[in-house]
Amino acid sequence: MIRLLLVDDQELFLEGLSMILESQDGIEVVGAARDGRQAIELTRELRPDVALMDIRMPVLDGVAATAAIRRESPEPPPHVIVLTTVRHDRAVVDALRAGASGFLLKDARPEFLVQSVRAVVDGQQVIAPAETFDLLRAFAPVRPAPDTSVLDGLTERERELFALAARGLSNAEIAQRLWVAETTVKTHMRAILAKLGVPSRVQLIALAYEHHLVEV
């Protein structure tokens, strides 16, 4: 059962989200918060697996709340998917840097919302690489030369997988490219994320772009 916390300051939107998600097998909405500070408190109390987090809220916004939840929650911290009404939103980039596992537009189809919740629990990214790159192009600083120092802890094989994952390839695509089993790729990817200290492949893509390790 996936335990879900909803965070938004709009009551009608919260009710709509709750109705959609509660109707799905294997998903339980355990709580709802109206601002970022309440989200932090409920996360400590309820220990959700995923928080659907609005970006712009009173008292404490979604970026600050995401950073606090990822930093302060007992292990393992919940995955955070941020919600926004604007595709090109600087706050989304800040939230990804703070540890969010992805973002969704508030007008996303209900079935895509449900798929995204399941995907993030399964360790998958919930935004397309093209959208990630588009955001980073607009807001992330571009370095004049590659900074490979962030990869110092990776083996040569792990660097090879890192480069492919940073371009947005899935585990299956990487396995096909390298002629290895998909389970082998999954094992390597878990090690790579742990060594880089990033919670998901979304942050891996952001790290690669910001350190000028991938061309898009």
Side-chain angles (χ1 to χ4, degrees), residues 109-154:
R109 298 188 311 276
E111 59 268 25
F112 185 66
L113 172 67
V114 174
Q115 291 169 6
S116 297
V117 170
R118 299 191 193 281
V120 77
V121 171
D122 203 30
Q124 302 175 38
Q125 62 192 36
V126 298
I127 54 176
E131 291 179 297
T132 308
F133 289 141
D134 200 21
L135 270 173
L136 293 171
R137 281 194 197 99
F139 299 114
V142 177
R143 303 189 178 212
D147 176 11
T148 60
S149 63
V150 295
L151 305 180
D152 286 348
L154 302 186

Side-chain angles (χ1 to χ4, degrees), residues 2 10 40 81 99-100 104 122 129 131 146 155-156 180 194 198 207-208:
I2 299 172
Q10 298 181 20
I40 296 169
I81 301 174
L104 295 173
D122 203 30
E131 291 179 297
T155 66
E156 183 176 350
V180 297
V198 295
L207 181 148

Side-chain angles (χ1 to χ4, degrees), residues 56-209:
R56 305 188 185 281
M57 295 179 292
V59 184
L60 191 69
D61 65 28
V63 175
T66 295
I69 287 171
R70 294 293 304 179
R71 182 179 63 246
E72 301 171 8
S73 297
E75 293 292 335
H79 301 281
V80 178
I81 301 174
V82 293
L83 303 173
T84 179
T85 58
V86 183
R87 184 178 299 275
H88 291 166
D89 190 342
R90 173 57 186 264
V92 170
V93 175
D94 293 337
L96 294 177
R97 288 175 175 158
S101 296
F103 80 96
L104 295 173
L105 295 176
K106 284 191 170 183
D107 61 359
R109 298 188 311 276
E111 59 268 25
F112 185 66
L113 172 67
V114 174
Q115 291 169 6
S116 297
V117 170
R118 299 191 193 281
V120 77
V121 171
D122 203 30
Q124 302 175 38
Q125 62 192 36
V126 298
I127 54 176
E131 291 179 297
T132 308
F133 289 141
D134 200 21
L135 270 173
L136 293 171
R137 281 194 197 99
F139 299 114
V142 177
R143 303 189 178 212
D147 176 11
T148 60
S149 63
V150 295
L151 305 180
D152 286 348
L154 302 186
T155 66
E156 183 176 350
R157 187 60 157 176
E158 288 169 345
R159 288 181 181 228
E160 187 177 11
L161 267 75
F162 170 90
L164 295 173
R167 289 166 50 195
L169 273 68
S170 67
N171 287 342
E173 291 169 332
I174 293 173
Q176 185 177 26
R177 181 76 62 91
L178 299 180
W179 294 89
V180 297
E182 188 172 347
T183 54
T184 300
V185 175
K186 290 180 180 179
T187 299
H188 279 303
M189 287 307 307
R190 284 195 294 268
I192 291 168
L193 294 177
K195 288 182 179 181
L196 295 177
V198 295
S200 75
R201 290 167 82 136
V202 170
Q203 278 78 36
L204 183 149
I205 293 172
L207 181 148
Y209 187 85

